[in-house]
Amino acid sequence: MKSEAEVLKSIGERLKEIRIQKGYTSYESFALDHDLGRMQYWRLEKGEANLTIRTLLKVLTIHGMTLQEFFSEGF
């Protein structure tokens, strides 16, 4: 069973992977384009933020993904 830190890191890696697939090479440009705090989003991708469901849902809505899609594909 993964620790909390390992789960947050896995979620962050998945968010980064999706961002790059959508053509954003920079977390900063993604955050600015979608009205997200740059440092907050950077911390999400690094697995260093206490991720809330609300924040995750906001980012997934930007990507046009459901929670099921996010967690089923390579998680």
Side-chain angles (χ1 to χ4, degrees):
M1 181 177 213
K2 289 185 178 182
S3 71
E4 181 180 306
E6 290 170 323
V7 170
L8 289 174
K9 186 160 180 62
S10 294
I11 290 171
E13 289 169 355
R14 179 89 168 106
L15 290 173
K16 181 177 180 179
E17 174 186 298
I18 293 165
R19 171 183 52 82
I20 291 170
Q21 287 174 358
K22 297 289 182 170
Y24 285 93
T25 57
S26 164
Y27 77 89
E28 291 176 316
S29 61
F30 177 80
L32 289 172
D33 283 356
H34 298 288
D35 198 30
L36 302 168
R38 288 180 302 150
M39 287 306 296
Q40 178 193 17
Y41 189 77
W42 176 80
R43 291 183 71 223
L44 289 176
E45 283 195 0
K46 292 294 182 186
E48 297 177 1
N50 187 11
L51 180 66
T52 65
I53 293 296
R54 180 173 290 167
T55 301
L56 181 58
L57 289 173
K58 182 177 181 177
V59 174
L60 294 182
T61 297
I62 292 167
H63 290 302
M65 293 183 83
T66 66
L67 282 170
Q68 292 83 359
E69 291 168 329
F70 179 78
F71 285 111
S72 68
E73 296 176 19
F75 190 79

